[in-house]
Amino acid sequence: MSTPSFALVASDTAEARDAKARLEARYATADIDASEVIVALGGDGLMLETLHRFIDRSVPIYGMNCGTVGFMMNQYEEERLPERLAAAQQVTLHPLRMHATTVKGAEADALAINEVSLLRESRQAAKIGISIDGVKRMEELICDGIMVATPAGSTAYNLSAHGPIVPLAAQLLALTPISVFRPRRWRGALLPARAEVTFEIHESAKRPVSATADFTEVRDVARVTVREDQSVDLNLLFDPEHNLEERIIKEQFQP
């Protein structure tokens, strides 16, 4: 196996910056615009930032955990880094594409690697209609919000909102409500990965709602569509013994 050239990026913490300095002193690194692999030092937040930053290059990202939450990261070790990169297994993900229309008619597009979430902006509960592939599935959901999560994102905000953990190979998206009031017993749905989800905001002047795709927030939305964008590849690298599929399965058996 040939060793790929790699560049280093680090989160803005002392631990990550110190790790970057040690690795740069130890290994020959490439220019970040010409490297074959990006090594990200930090937690899952940095991994999301790095994937978004290099989304147009589709360059593989190999994360090493120097943060608090490192579900998408490999274990931090300074030994044999080039050999680990050469042996790493690639996982290709596709982000969600959000198209939002505001109450004033403005339009915005954004990509989400973890989830697209709709949240109420005021003390009033949101009222949201839900359609799947053009078919109205729920006339009105009264809630604090709702999200569409990817398999990779199903262990993040989706999990904290009591949504299901979705294995990568399942080709599914999690549709998860947040603090449902009506219908009281509805806990969400699993959808085919190619489904298009449309949210219509009811009483938007009285009950304003924002839509957020990872880091991009659009306020006062009237209509939001979400679908998986198969034209965009996100490539992550994992040590064979710590692949992402195994982590997602393992997470479901945590106490």
Side-chain angles (χ1 to χ4, degrees):
M1 293 179 289
S2 61
T3 301
S5 62
F6 65 93
L8 300 167
V9 296
S11 62
D12 190 23
T13 66
E15 180 182 359
R17 292 195 303 269
D18 291 346
K20 182 174 183 286
R22 291 194 302 270
L23 291 170
E24 286 178 331
R26 184 166 187 168
Y27 299 107
T29 57
D31 181 82
I32 199 164
D33 293 323
S35 61
E36 297 172 289
V37 173
I38 304 294
V39 176
L41 306 172
D44 284 348
L46 177 74
M47 175 59 80
L48 284 179
E49 291 176 11
T50 305
L51 287 167
H52 278 282
R53 177 180 174 185
F54 297 101
I55 201 166
D56 293 331
R57 281 187 57 194
S58 295
V59 60
I61 312 295
Y62 179 89
M64 286 205 291
N65 190 14
C66 294
T68 303
V69 180
F71 184 81
M72 302 175 74
M73 315 299 278
N74 297 283
Q75 183 177 345
Y76 179 80
E77 293 178 4
E78 295 180 15
E79 302 291 332
R80 304 179 64 254
L81 178 57
E83 290 80 5
R84 290 173 70 189
L85 295 177
Q89 298 174 345
Q90 180 169 297
V91 173
T92 299
L93 308 176
H94 302 293
L96 300 173
R97 182 171 292 279
M98 177 185 78
H99 180 79
T101 304
T102 71
V103 294
K104 293 184 177 180
E107 298 188 353
D109 282 274
L111 293 176
I113 297 164
N114 271 359
E115 76 279 319
V116 172
S117 58
L118 277 67
L119 297 169
R120 65 184 176 99
E121 296 178 12
S122 72
R123 62 182 179 83
Q124 297 278 359
K127 291 186 175 182
I128 303 172
I130 305 171
S131 298
I132 311 297
D133 293 328
V135 178
K136 179 72 74 174
R137 295 297 182 182
M138 185 169 292
E139 187 64 36
E140 187 169 85
L141 175 70
I142 304 177
C143 59
D144 279 357
I146 190 168
M147 75 181 79
V148 181
T150 66
S154 68
T155 58
Y157 187 14
N158 173 74
L159 182 59
S160 69
H162 307 292
I165 295 176
V166 183
L168 292 177
Q171 293 293 301
L172 296 171
L173 302 174
L175 179 64
T176 302
I178 304 167
S179 300
V180 177
F181 181 67
R182 291 282 191 275
R184 197 174 294 276
R185 295 184 180 181
W186 191 66
R187 293 294 179 264
L190 289 171
L191 305 175
R194 294 182 179 274
E196 181 176 270
V197 184
T198 302
F199 301 108
E200 300 280 353
I201 311 306
H202 301 170
E203 302 178 29
S204 56
K206 180 181 179 182
R207 305 170 185 272
V209 171
S210 66
T212 302
D214 283 354
F215 311 120
T216 303
E217 182 185 31
V218 181
R219 306 280 289 182
D220 302 331
V221 295
R223 187 174 189 269
V224 177
T225 60
V226 181
R227 62 176 177 83
E228 186 179 77
D229 193 335
Q230 290 275 336
S231 69
V232 179
D233 291 339
L234 302 168
N235 300 310
L236 285 72
L237 296 177
F238 292 93
D239 296 328
E241 67 273 21
H242 295 294
N243 68 76
L244 186 57
E245 187 73 66
E246 169 61 21
R247 290 183 181 202
I248 288 175
I249 294 173
K250 184 178 179 180
E251 186 69 24
Q252 297 176 79
F253 295 90
Q254 295 298 315

